Amino acid sequence: MGQIHVLRTDNFTGGLNLRADPFQLGETESPDMLNVDIDPRGGIFQRGGVSHYNTSAVNALADGAFAPEKLFAWQSTTPQLLLAANGKVFAASSTTFTDTTITTTHADGASFAPWTSSSTAFVYVACGTSTTQASKWDGSAKTLLTASGTGQWQEALSTPTGTHMPRADFCASHIDRMWVASTYEDATAYPNRVRFSHPNFPESWRSADYIDIVEGGNGITALVPFNGALLVFKKNSVHAIYGYDTDTFQVVTLTTSLGAVSSHAVVANERHLFMFSWPDGLFAFDGRGFRDMFEKLRPLVTLNLVSGASVDKIWLGITNNRVWLSLPVGNTVPTYSYVLDTADGAWTRYQFADGKGAAAVCDFVTSTGSRLHLALHPLNPWVLIVDQYDIYQDQVASTAAVPFTSYYVTKWQDAGVVSAKKMWRRPDLIVKQPSVTTTLTVAVYHNWEESETKRLHQVTIDAGQQNALVWHAIGVEPDAYAGWGEAPWGANASGAQFQRASNLGLARAVMLKISGEASKPWGVNSITYKYVPRRVR
């Protein structure tokens, strides 16, 4: 008998990599995964489940009739969620959305800009340029604002008494002013114009207070404050407006090769701004330069799995300190949400139980101080609470919750010698401790052939009993054994379980696909491969 060699894998933090072939995949990367999370300490585990936030369908719409655009968390004295969908704006302080009667005409839906003074707080809403007036929302009622134009300007800074706002596609509060972009004035569209209000008076505007940004193509697609500047996006360029008043405002072009496909596809946190540029992909901006975050996912674009005709259904958002990029892969609505851990640049991939990805996502802190991680379904009128690690199903429609599929595919293991066959012996698995009996199914592949399963393996992790692991031929049920101790799953779980399986077989290289059981939690901390090399002939 030859000497047994050992390969140990307990670091999966490289995440999903769709670009690398079997010989280029990093030691910690995976060519395929679905609905699993990556522990920053190295393990993998099933993602959290999904449930409804709202207790009744938005606007009493039927499943499939929802057309979401934006989800905005207004953290005022009484926190509210504002939802732009189906040409309207809806608001919720608790779990029921009501119609604000604000209507929108822009393809991206409403644009929201919060404003707080010493005594009042509002959200200003840009509703589009064609026929709709801008509005302000005080938490319970809207106020329509008079469209700025000839005879409707407030030219004197000393008497800012207007109740006005230009018709525009986008708005943002920045420094001490309200800003709008892509305006409509005196029956003329100005798709490259940015306007700013009087200082400290968001409803007073002068006719001369505007900046036309003509460089970088026609049409502004988003307006976002970030890192002390106001960033203006077009499809193929990004510009920054710096300064603090009319004497110091200046425009600096940051790039003329990257941009944002829409206002759905730009999001910022304290450290970075993220944007999706077509066909370049996702980029992060830190105030100094742009960093490519899309390298590992680029085949989605280069292989035309995401069509340029569907870029208006690309959503980008941040919740639970992670970036969600939802892409219409092979469809006209998002089918997957690719989730990025910004700390280490690792991707994973989510899909709801009905085969859809999320639309807009955001964090929302309720009036009781609870932080919820929220997402919109792209077709059904439900705001969804995601990342719930104490439930193991998805409720994404009007019907009851249903199970979702979860799996992780390892990289190919060839022990660094492609030419030599190896007898792959009994691998050791360290699995996470469950509180219920859970079965993992492990498909085994040989010699870089991913279309044929050579062996099928089931790992039965029986809470309170000894667990059984039995290799078996495809189509043959495994034997069962008993005995192990019980432990809670999730944040309170402690420890793990050691399991030893039977041989993987004779092959130059092996790859495993580990799948969880429906509606039950699972996770893997470590895989140790053992093999005996054969003589090279």
Side-chain angles (χ1 to χ4, degrees), residues 114-133:
W115 184 276
T116 303
S117 66
S118 58
S119 59
T120 58
F122 299 99
V123 174
Y124 287 87
V125 186
C127 300
T129 57
S130 58
T131 58
T132 48
Q133 294 172 248

Side-chain angles (χ1 to χ4, degrees), residues 7-10 12 16 22 25 27 29-34 36 44 406-414 424-431 440-459 469-472 499-516 522 524-531:
L7 291 173
R8 178 179 170 184
T9 299
D10 52 13
F12 306 92
L16 181 66
L25 206 64
E27 287 297 322
E29 295 177 338
S30 167
D32 189 15
M33 63 175 72
L34 182 66
V36 295
I44 55 172
S406 61
Y407 64 80
Y408 180 90
V409 178
T410 69
K411 72 179 294 292
W412 285 100
Q413 295 286 354
D414 60 16
W424 296 90
R425 305 298 292 273
R426 305 168 64 187
D428 297 332
L429 303 179
I430 305 297
V431 297
L440 301 184
T441 299
V442 184
V444 184
Y445 301 85
H446 287 178
N447 300 329
W448 302 282
E449 179 53 66
E450 299 179 15
S451 62
E452 182 181 0
T453 304
K454 290 295 186 180
R455 298 191 178 193
L456 203 62
H457 179 203
Q458 286 193 328
V459 180
L469 293 89
V470 179
W471 287 103
H472 61 94
Q499 304 292 348
R500 175 165 291 164
S502 299
N503 295 340
L504 301 182
L506 180 64
R508 289 183 170 87
V510 294
M511 181 178 75
L512 308 180
K513 179 180 180 180
I514 305 173
S515 303
W522 66 276
V524 175
N525 290 333
S526 175
I527 305 171
T528 299
Y529 303 86
K530 293 175 287 185
Y531 67 95

